[in-house]
Amino acid sequence: REARLEALDCIFPQDPAASCSRLPYGGLLLLKTRLQSNEAAAAIHACSTSLIFRVIPVDSVTESSLPKIGSEVLRLVPRGTRRIAVDCARRGRALQSSHAVEEEVGSLLKAQGNAIDIENPDIIVRIDIIGSLTTISVRPPSGFIVKKDGRADG
């Protein structure tokens, strides 16, 4: 069974107009739904799955350029956040390195008075560079769902 169909089976009861497409990099899907990203993640979390192991709710989609990514992160990070971890995964060659993105975004966040803390963050900024497209997720560590053997981990 395709993971794409599995995701749609989980979402259709709440949003029959949802769509899901494969991205050109192995194992990645992009789910488009009218639901809020947290609601969609919760629906997949509650659903028994055999092929979906991680759900990353997306808060923003932008082009893969450091200035665009930086401005989107600053727009999304709540004011007054104290400890932030920046995690970037890169697929494709739109940007030179995920480490450089983490450093640049971390510097922008530090300049706003935030501390970078990868061990015990209040908020994780997850940046997924997927070719010319970049998704950004900003949420507490519990907001990212990892499933084991089709069941929610936790």
Side-chain angles (χ1 to χ4, degrees), residues 43-83:
I44 293 173
H45 182 257
C47 197
S48 179
T49 61
S50 61
L51 299 170
I52 297 172
F53 298 101
R54 186 185 311 176
V55 180
I56 301 173
V58 173
D59 298 307
S60 180
V61 178
T62 190
E63 68 182 61
S64 295
S65 78
L66 268 175
K68 294 275 187 182
I69 293 167
S71 67
E72 272 304 287
V73 167
L74 292 178
R75 184 182 71 78
L76 292 168
V77 170
R79 295 269 179 217
T81 301
R82 294 285 181 233
R83 298 171 305 183

Side-chain angles (χ1 to χ4, degrees), residues 49-129:
T49 61
S50 61
L51 299 170
I52 297 172
F53 298 101
R54 186 185 311 176
V55 180
I56 301 173
V58 173
D59 298 307
S60 180
V61 178
T62 190
E63 68 182 61
S64 295
S65 78
L66 268 175
K68 294 275 187 182
I69 293 167
S71 67
E72 272 304 287
V73 167
L74 292 178
R75 184 182 71 78
L76 292 168
V77 170
R79 295 269 179 217
T81 301
R82 294 285 181 233
R83 298 171 305 183
I84 300 176
V86 180
D87 181 28
C88 180
R90 178 183 61 109
R91 295 152 191 98
R93 299 282 178 222
L95 291 173
Q96 190 171 3
S97 94
S98 56
H99 183 70
V101 173
E102 290 170 347
E103 285 185 346
E104 177 68 23
V105 170
S107 292
L108 291 170
L109 292 167
K110 274 185 181 178
Q112 285 199 328
N114 297 295
I116 302 301
D117 184 345
I118 59 172
E119 297 296 323
N120 190 27
D122 298 316
I123 295 287
I124 296 175
V125 174
R126 170 70 189 204
I127 302 166
D128 282 285
I129 301 165

